[in-house]
Amino acid sequence: MRIRRLYDDLTGRTHHRALDALHSQLGMAIDGVSLTARMTRGELSPADARAEMVDVEHAGDSLRAVLVGELSTALTTPIDREDLYRLSRSVDDVLDNLRDLVRETDLYRADPEVEDLEILAAVAEGLALLQTAVASLPRRPAEVTVTTLAVRKCAGRVRQLYQSAVASLFEQDVSTDLLKRRELLRRLDVVGLRLGECADALSDAMLKRSH
């Protein structure tokens, strides 16, 4: 088994397994965004979206477990293993906060706002860019830094849209619906913050790799 593991490390197979798991984990996070968008468009009730999100989250957790398993036994990794772990954890945080957004929408009996689709689109774009960056790591590392900057812009876009939405909200009279809306907007903002942390983790990893 040890000889097999050494062979896989030397031939790069371990690298591919780790990156494949991370790429798939990002895919699950994108699925989480898509599910949340379906709820926001009114294609799914919050209760149904909450039930479906359980499966998406479990799939994401399983893929993260695969990656952690690879990191615990690999002799070498495509980027610093701590940064790879940190990136995976931040992706998991994105999905966890999407889960909380859907769950809270159901718990609060709140009506989803179609204006949030623009925020969700920015999150989905950032996650897709991260998939591109992960796929570029083995052979096109120079492209990763550029792509990471684009992810950071997506996270910044989420923050700008969140701030504009809150500014509009504060022009209204205080009500229960306003308080519900404020909580859900804050959850969307946290999703954007976690996306930004994904970009930071990958950026730090590429800086270490350049030295």
Side-chain angles (χ1 to χ4, degrees):
M1 180 63 71
R2 291 182 179 177
I3 294 176
R4 178 70 180 186
R5 172 60 64 178
L6 177 60
Y7 176 78
D8 286 350
D9 274 305
L10 292 175
T11 58
R13 291 183 180 179
T14 303
H15 290 195
H16 287 297
R17 287 200 297 265
L19 293 179
D20 285 348
L22 180 56
H23 192 277
S24 296
Q25 187 190 358
L26 282 161
M28 282 298 108
I30 292 172
D31 285 350
V33 177
S34 177
L35 177 58
T36 307
R38 288 170 59 202
M39 178 192 74
T40 304
R41 287 192 295 266
E43 298 171 8
L44 281 176
S45 69
D48 288 342
R50 182 180 178 182
E52 287 193 28
M53 187 64 86
V54 172
D55 293 334
V56 175
E57 183 194 8
H58 285 172
D61 289 343
S62 296
L63 289 164
R64 174 162 165 72
V66 171
L67 175 61
V68 172
E70 290 294 334
L71 293 179
S72 66
T73 57
L75 297 177
T76 62
T77 53
I79 55 177
D80 186 280
R81 72 181 65 234
E82 291 182 2
D83 291 319
L84 197 53
Y85 181 89
R86 177 181 159 205
L87 174 55
S88 176
R89 182 185 62 198
S90 295
V91 174
D92 186 56
D93 288 342
V94 170
L95 184 53
D96 284 350
N97 278 281
L98 288 167
R99 173 207 62 199
D100 289 344
L101 173 64
V102 170
R103 181 171 61 191
E104 289 165 2
T105 301
D106 183 37
L107 284 174
Y108 302 161
R109 298 180 181 178
D111 294 325
E113 298 286 344
V114 293
E115 290 83 0
D116 294 344
L117 289 172
E118 190 173 358
I119 293 179
L120 293 171
V123 175
E125 181 183 354
L127 292 171
L129 286 168
L130 282 170
Q131 279 192 317
T132 299
V134 168
S136 300
L137 268 173
R139 297 181 181 178
R140 302 185 304 278
E143 296 179 12
V144 177
T145 301
V146 175
T147 306
T148 302
L149 289 174
V151 177
R152 167 53 65 186
K153 289 181 180 179
C154 288
R157 179 64 176 158
V158 172
R159 170 48 67 94
Q160 291 171 357
L161 290 168
Y162 157 76
Q163 291 171 333
S164 295
V166 170
S168 297
L169 198 65
F170 286 166
E171 294 178 358
Q172 303 174 24
D173 293 333
V174 176
S175 66
T176 300
D177 287 341
L178 182 146
L179 295 176
K180 291 178 182 179
R181 177 67 176 150
R182 176 68 182 86
E183 289 298 310
L184 296 177
L185 280 172
R186 177 55 183 162
R187 183 64 65 186
L188 281 167
D189 183 44
V190 174
V191 171
L193 292 174
R194 300 294 86 83
L195 178 64
E197 290 174 359
C198 290
D200 290 342
L202 192 51
S203 179
D204 290 349
M206 298 313 293
L207 181 61
K208 292 177 186 177
R209 180 168 170 162
S210 68
H211 289 290

